[in-house]
Amino acid sequence: MLTRKGEIAMVYIKRAAEETIERVSKMFPVLLVTGPRQVGKTTLLQKLAETEKQSGIERKYVTLDDPDARYLAKTDPAMFLQRYSPPVLIDEIQYATELLPYIKMRVDRSKRKGDFWLTGSQVFRLMEHVSESLAGRVGIVNLLGLSDAEICQTPSEPFSTDAERLMNRLSVVKPRGLNEIYRRIFKGSMPELYADENVDWEIYYRSYVDTYLQRDIRDLTQVADEMQFYNFMTVAAAHTSKPVVYEELANAAGVTAPTAKKWLSILVSSHIAALVQPYYNNVLKRVVKMPLLHFLDTGLAAYLLKWGSPEALERGAMSGAFFESYVFSEIYKSYLNAGKEPPVFYYRDKDQKEIDLLIYQDGVLSPVEIKKAASPGSAAVKNFTVLEPIAKPKAFGGLETLKTEIGTGNVICMAEDLLPVDEKNWFVPVWLI
């Protein structure tokens, strides 16, 4: 990125969502990029605005972090939009949602695509206003932290278990060992940690949590005690890759179950965590219907839980849970960066049989097991057989249309190479996903 004289230049990391954002901007008059704080929303849009200049488009920029700009936006939205007329990039739109009805009137008059680019980090506050004011006029792109594809600058594509796709990736992705993978898991996904090697990991995440608590959580009436919410975040981090039992979370955090449910929804809506819903249909009668919790930034989870190094994390009791959440977040981001809703589920039944991840696309359900082991063995796919009834029309009373095909299965693990388990399933090195 360009800097003023005397400043240290920050490295710009090309984002996988760039093409998605450009495509959405050409489809809608308003583009909204949402996501957690500090994942690079503004940097990405400013970089794309620089590219626009080459075709003669001069896009204004204003941030509502600026108290003067925020005051004008809240007290006189019409004047604000005269001062910052489109095309314009408005940063942190959640601080002045009063602008949204005026933006609606502007785009209804002009009908030009891509006039307004907006960013917002307080998604739980913002989306209600957006859906009320800009329905049908706004394209939304969710941006999370860096993916491995972005860090390594390799091709990014929505994850699938297809063996041919995985074989093709062997030629473009560099193998990594256990220590390198856990350094990545420990470091997390925040762009600043990769753009500037001088940033201290612990100081960065401490500042990040303080900002999140003081600027986002303080604004929410349902959170009266920031430190109690911080304690709840820590408890949630300790439950990453586990099914959600609200009473369990509540007891560990010292709050009521309804409060735990409300606070977890805040973590989810602000993209700190994700809930994976169980896969269910009428044939699979014994499915447990609890969602599964994953922290989306393993570095943040490691900070909250006071892990001091990648080596300690790799040897520790939560090593497998962090590995699973890391794999999930990589797969999850691969869909978001392509502008797609992640088609992810998981399976768990009352007999304690589990499948870590299910990818459901085009009538095909593909099972994924996640194991830290280098040689998990064929037993890793034994639970895949619980899905067999959904592939049989007789199970649905002979209705062919309700049948679901079972796709290629993957065991994502620390294997050194892509290898078949059997004719239907593959061992997949984690660095290949």
Side-chain angles (χ1 to χ4, degrees), residues 124-184:
F124 34 74
R125 161 180 287 183
L126 179 60
M127 295 314 294
E128 181 181 352
H129 294 283
V130 168
S131 60
E132 287 176 1
S133 301
L134 297 176
R137 301 166 182 85
V138 59
I140 300 171
V141 177
N142 295 311
L143 187 71
L144 298 181
L146 295 174
S147 66
D148 277 359
E150 291 170 320
I151 293 167
C152 302
Q153 292 295 286
T154 54
S156 177
E157 58 192 7
F159 174 82
S160 81
T161 61
D162 180 66
E164 185 177 350
R165 183 194 79 89
L166 292 165
M167 286 179 186
N168 290 336
R169 285 186 68 77
L170 285 170
S171 62
V172 296
V173 181
K174 180 184 173 185
R176 288 175 293 161
L178 181 68
N179 293 336
E180 198 172 353
I181 291 294
Y182 270 85
R183 282 196 295 271
R184 164 75 175 89

Side-chain angles (χ1 to χ4, degrees), residues 15 34-36 39 142-146 271 296 332-333 336-337:
R15 303 304 299 265
T34 69
V39 293
N142 295 311
L143 187 71
L144 298 181
L146 295 174
H271 301 297
L296 289 170
Y332 193 76
K333 282 182 278 195
L336 292 182
N337 288 336

Side-chain angles (χ1 to χ4, degrees), residues 16-219:
E18 285 182 16
E19 290 182 8
T20 299
I21 287 171
E22 289 174 333
R23 186 175 74 250
V24 171
S25 182
K26 291 173 183 175
M27 293 168 59
F28 294 91
V30 183
L31 164 74
L32 171 62
V33 178
T34 69
R37 289 189 171 279
Q38 300 176 31
V39 293
K41 300 183 294 294
T42 306
T43 303
L44 169 53
L45 290 181
Q46 287 180 324
K47 184 70 174 179
L48 293 179
E50 284 180 23
T51 304
E52 282 187 322
K53 284 184 180 180
Q54 298 170 11
S55 56
I57 299 173
E58 290 282 345
R59 187 174 295 273
K60 301 179 182 70
Y61 169 76
V62 58
T63 175
L64 297 179
D65 264 335
D66 180 335
D68 292 333
R70 189 189 312 180
Y71 179 79
L72 179 60
K74 292 178 77 68
T75 58
D76 196 342
M79 181 65 73
F80 178 92
L81 291 181
Q82 287 185 39
R83 168 66 182 84
Y84 300 103
S85 56
V88 61
L89 164 53
I90 304 175
D91 207 8
E92 304 290 7
I93 188 67
Q94 75 274 1
Y95 289 134
T97 53
E98 293 86 351
L99 281 172
L100 297 177
Y102 290 82
I103 290 174
K104 172 184 177 293
M105 289 187 284
R106 273 292 186 107
V107 301
D108 284 351
R109 284 200 302 268
S110 72
K111 300 193 180 340
R112 284 192 305 266
K113 309 298 185 187
D115 260 2
F116 289 89
W117 289 1
L118 315 176
T119 76
S121 53
Q122 290 182 3
V123 183
F124 34 74
R125 161 180 287 183
L126 179 60
M127 295 314 294
E128 181 181 352
H129 294 283
V130 168
S131 60
E132 287 176 1
S133 301
L134 297 176
R137 301 166 182 85
V138 59
I140 300 171
V141 177
N142 295 311
L143 187 71
L144 298 181
L146 295 174
S147 66
D148 277 359
E150 291 170 320
I151 293 167
C152 302
Q153 292 295 286
T154 54
S156 177
E157 58 192 7
F159 174 82
S160 81
T161 61
D162 180 66
E164 185 177 350
R165 183 194 79 89
L166 292 165
M167 286 179 186
N168 290 336
R169 285 186 68 77
L170 285 170
S171 62
V172 296
V173 181
K174 180 184 173 185
R176 288 175 293 161
L178 181 68
N179 293 336
E180 198 172 353
I181 291 294
Y182 270 85
R183 282 196 295 271
R184 164 75 175 89
I185 291 172
F186 180 80
K187 192 170 185 177
S189 302
M190 291 301 180
E192 194 170 342
L193 294 172
Y194 294 87
D196 184 353
E197 62 184 19
N198 297 311
V199 175
D200 181 274
W201 177 88
E202 185 174 358
I203 292 172
Y204 176 86
Y205 275 111
R206 183 190 309 142
S207 172
Y208 183 88
V209 170
D210 286 346
T211 302
Y212 178 67
L213 291 173
Q214 293 172 12
R215 298 196 61 181
D216 292 345
I217 300 306
R218 182 181 288 173
D219 289 342

